Amino acid sequence: MKCSKCGEEYKENQAFCLKCGNPIQVVPDFNLIEAELASNIGELMDSMEEEPEKDNLSEDNIKINEPDISNMELKLVDISRKAAENNRNDIADGKTKIIGNISQAVYEDDTEEKTDEKENLPVSGGKKNKKKIPFIIAAVIFILAAAIAAFIFIAKSVKDTATSYDEFYNNAKAAYEKMDTDTALDNAKHALGKADTDEEKKAVRLLIYSIQLLAGDKGEYYAENLEALVAIGAADKEHYQALAKYYDENKKYNKLTELLRNVKNEEILAVLSEYVVEEPKADLESGDYSEYIAVNLTAKEGYTIYYTTDSRSPSNFGEVYSQPITLKEEGEKVIKAVAVNENGVESNIVTYTYNIKLKGSGAPVLTPSGGAFTDYTTIKVEVPEGGKAYYTWDESKPTSQSEEYDDANGIEMLRGINILKVLIVDKYGIESEVANESYNLQIARVINANEAIALVQTEAEKTAEEGITVTASYETLTIIDNQEYYIISASYKDESGADKAVTIYAVNTYDKTLKKAIDDNGKYSIENETE
């Protein structure tokens, strides 16, 4: 290969032409160094070629004092680029400085500057510089050797960086096999810092786990490494169990709760069963409801239940559950609940959604449901729990102010043809439709009016005083407290025919019972026997 400037042959590993100093690009990493060095040498050689032309002294007239090489010292001094620029082409006083960015070679002559003995003239620099060319070349070669060595060193360093993960990992594995856990862990951490792929991270973290188990090291870094294995999806049942045990033993219950909530794999949950807190349960499933409801929550004994009804997290905003949660508003209601054990480990949060849309129930069910009857009958009404029933017999619409139904006694069927109306108001105050049933109760009479008069006559005479005449007479047929009575009056007169008293009797047409009655302007009632 030849120099592009002067045509001089040069070797493959040369950085510049030795003849003209033209830079030759060979090693890319050292272009700037070599270019600067080549430029310095080129300028130096050009100046040496020009100086003899300017000097009028001939070689024959000048006595050259050769430098004493034995007294010269080779000094290598680090310099900056700025220093190189300031001292470029500095050739004077019997000293030669070769400038470069890597080092500076200085040859110093310990002798005094020599002069021409004949003419006492200063020695021309042209010849002296030419004599120093071999030393310049030697210095250049030395610098090139240093540059090549630096290049090899840097290249090797680059190679080490590119393969450092493998080296660190292999070193860690070898140390682990030798049970040197300190060295193994140190190399493994370095390998982790160099890991680029998920596979590399997974491999080195699994190795770190094995190293720490061997060393019995279960500190914070042990947990951090297990957490990282979980995060990158490299953890198996053993790792989950080890991490849960660490959290439990170190009372890191919030961390344990978070770990358990994020596990979806049933096999992993099975090995963590001793740490899992069971979720609370509601007695009413999520769904649509046409009435207000009360939701009961239950959990394992010893657990505390926290809940919210506004969709917020019960872990942060819940109140302690102590009684059924009553939902008395229409619309969607969301109950969120969590169970917490004695250590503060929480279960998964459960959510129940209830959509409440109230509507009145259908008409109440009556038994019997209407018809003709020949004997006294009690009517029953089906009333839902917490509700109340109200009824009327006068064909008016019942309200909460009407006669209240008593389930123990029922509703006594009225004699004759009557319409019973019944309304139910449930425990939430919602009214049902009104039931309308017609009943025709016709009770057969076991006594007629004349027989009733005779019965009263006999009874009155028993109580009459001597000399008093009793006369019983029919007044009317009436219903008192749903019983049919003949109203019979008994008049008492003395011997002179003067009226002494009148007693009103009521004879029951159903069973012939005889009772005293009270006439209140034509409205009759049975006299209270206790009066």
Side-chain angles (χ1 to χ4, degrees):
M1 298 176 68
K2 296 182 179 182
C3 175
S4 60
K5 183 175 180 181
C6 67
E8 179 72 13
E9 291 285 344
Y10 62 85
K11 295 181 180 180
E12 194 171 278
N13 60 351
Q14 285 184 219
F16 59 88
C17 178
L18 296 178
K19 183 177 180 181
C20 67
N22 183 43
I24 300 172
Q25 299 291 334
V26 176
V27 183
D29 289 344
F30 291 92
N31 284 344
L32 291 176
I33 297 173
E34 292 168 3
E36 181 68 21
L37 184 59
S39 175
N40 292 343
I41 294 174
E43 293 177 7
L44 179 60
M45 294 182 70
D46 289 342
S47 67
M48 287 190 295
E49 289 176 359
E50 293 173 359
E51 285 182 4
E53 296 177 3
K54 297 178 181 179
D55 197 346
N56 293 326
L57 298 175
S58 66
E59 187 174 343
D60 296 335
N61 297 328
I62 301 174
K63 180 180 179 180
I64 303 297
N65 293 317
E66 296 294 338
D68 187 356
I69 298 177
S70 62
N71 294 325
M72 299 179 67
E73 294 181 358
L74 176 61
K75 295 185 179 180
L76 299 179
V77 183
D78 290 336
I79 62 171
S80 64
R81 180 180 297 275
K82 182 176 181 181
E85 292 174 355
N86 292 337
N87 294 300
R88 183 175 294 163
N89 299 327
D90 186 3
I91 304 172
D93 299 330
K95 302 176 183 178
T96 301
K97 298 180 181 177
I98 305 301
I99 309 301
N101 287 342
I102 298 176
S103 64
Q104 177 180 19
V106 181
Y107 294 87
E108 294 186 356
D109 188 349
D110 293 334
T111 62
E112 296 292 333
E113 180 181 1
K114 297 189 179 180
T115 58
D116 189 292
E117 295 178 357
K118 182 178 180 181
E119 297 292 337
N120 215 19
L121 295 173
V123 178
S124 171
K127 287 297 182 178
K128 185 183 288 186
N129 287 336
K130 287 182 179 180
K131 291 293 184 177
K132 292 184 178 180
I133 287 177
F135 298 102
I136 295 173
I137 293 173
V140 170
I141 293 172
F142 174 79
I143 294 171
L144 283 176
I148 292 170
F151 170 75
I152 294 172
F153 174 77
I154 294 173
K156 186 177 184 304
S157 297
V158 172
K159 179 182 178 182
D160 289 343
T161 301
T163 61
S164 61
Y165 169 80
D166 292 331
E167 290 181 354
F168 281 128
Y169 179 81
N170 291 332
N171 289 341
K173 192 171 182 182
Y176 167 70
E177 292 172 354
K178 294 178 181 178
M179 301 183 71
D180 182 359
T181 55
D182 289 341
T183 302
L185 186 58
D186 182 64
N187 278 275
K189 288 181 177 180
H190 280 84
L192 185 60
K194 299 295 182 181
D196 293 323
T197 67
D198 288 341
E199 287 303 315
E200 289 178 343
K201 294 175 183 178
K202 176 180 177 180
V204 73
R205 286 200 176 277
L206 289 173
L207 179 57
I208 290 174
Y209 173 69
S210 298
I211 295 169
Q212 290 184 303
L213 281 186
L214 180 61
D217 177 10
K218 295 185 178 181
E220 291 186 6
Y221 188 70
Y222 170 79
E224 290 176 10
N225 187 59
L226 287 170
E227 290 169 347
L229 283 172
V230 170
I232 63 178
D236 60 16
K237 291 185 287 187
E238 177 184 350
H239 303 122
Y240 273 98
Q241 193 171 29
L243 186 55
K245 184 177 181 181
Y246 173 86
Y247 287 150
D248 185 53
E249 291 178 348
N250 290 276
K251 304 187 185 316
K252 296 182 180 294
Y253 299 121
N254 288 339
K255 287 274 193 178
L256 181 56
T257 296
E258 183 181 358
L259 177 68
L260 295 172
R261 282 180 176 174
N262 289 329
V263 176
K264 306 302 178 185
N265 185 291
E266 293 297 330
E267 292 184 1
I268 294 176
L269 282 174
V271 301
L272 299 178
S273 59
E274 64 178 300
Y275 306 108
V276 174
V277 176
E278 295 179 11
E279 302 168 355
K281 300 184 183 303
D283 63 340
L284 296 179
E285 294 296 328
S286 297
D288 297 332
Y289 290 83
S290 59
E291 59 180 356
Y292 297 138
I293 57 177
V295 181
N296 292 281
L297 299 177
T298 57
K300 187 176 178 180
E301 185 177 357
Y303 290 178
T304 301
I305 300 174
Y306 295 87
Y307 75 96
T308 61
T309 57
D310 55 7
S311 296
R312 293 189 300 172
S313 170
S315 295
N316 301 321
F317 304 100
E319 58 181 288
V320 176
Y321 173 84
S322 59
Q323 61 185 6
I325 305 168
T326 303
L327 304 181
K328 291 185 175 182
E329 294 180 3
E330 287 192 275
E332 185 177 88
K333 290 292 179 182
V334 177
I335 294 177
K336 289 188 175 183
V338 64
V340 183
N341 70 8
E342 59 276 7
N343 290 328
V345 180
E346 299 181 6
S347 70
N348 288 331
I349 295 174
V350 292
T351 301
Y352 293 94
T353 303
Y354 304 98
N355 186 25
I356 300 175
K357 186 177 182 181
L358 298 178
K359 62 179 182 180
S361 61
V365 177
L366 309 183
T367 305
S369 59
F373 299 87
T374 60
D375 202 354
Y376 287 108
T377 304
T378 299
I379 303 169
K380 292 289 185 177
V381 181
E382 293 183 12
V383 182
E385 183 179 358
K388 293 182 179 181
Y390 302 90
Y391 66 94
T392 60
W393 283 107
D394 59 2
E395 298 188 16
S396 64
K397 181 180 178 179
T399 68
S400 58
Q401 304 302 316
S402 302
E403 188 75 20
E404 184 176 345
Y405 171 77
D406 180 4
D407 187 62
N409 298 315
I411 301 174
E412 185 178 0
M413 190 181 298
L414 298 182
R415 294 170 67 105
I417 299 174
N418 297 281
I419 295 176
L420 175 64
K421 293 185 177 184
V422 181
L423 168 73
I424 289 178
V425 179
D426 67 18
K427 58 185 177 181
Y428 306 114
I430 306 300
E431 295 183 356
S432 70
E433 297 177 9
V434 176
N436 290 270
E437 295 291 349
S438 177
Y439 296 92
N440 182 8
L441 177 59
Q442 299 297 328
I443 302 296
R445 295 170 183 153
V446 296
I447 187 173
N448 58 38
N450 290 329
E451 292 172 332
I453 292 171
L455 185 63
V456 170
Q457 182 71 34
T458 301
E459 181 65 22
E461 288 176 349
K462 289 179 181 180
T463 59
E465 297 177 357
E466 186 177 351
I468 299 298
T469 303
V470 178
T471 304
S473 59
Y474 176 81
E475 298 290 336
T476 187
L477 180 67
T478 189
I479 302 295
I480 302 174
D481 296 332
N482 201 36
Q483 298 290 318
E484 186 181 57
Y485 292 94
Y486 292 114
I487 301 300
I488 307 297
S489 62
S491 298
Y492 296 87
K493 293 182 179 181
D494 58 16
E495 295 177 350
S496 63
D499 292 330
K500 296 292 292 183
V502 176
T503 302
I504 306 297
Y505 288 93
V507 180
N508 193 312
T509 63
Y510 176 71
D511 58 9
K512 297 183 181 181
T513 55
L514 180 65
K515 296 180 180 181
K516 289 183 179 181
I518 298 173
D519 180 7
D520 184 11
N521 295 322
K523 185 177 181 179
Y524 297 94
S525 60
I526 302 301
E527 183 178 297
N528 191 335
E529 295 180 355
T530 60
E531 293 180 357

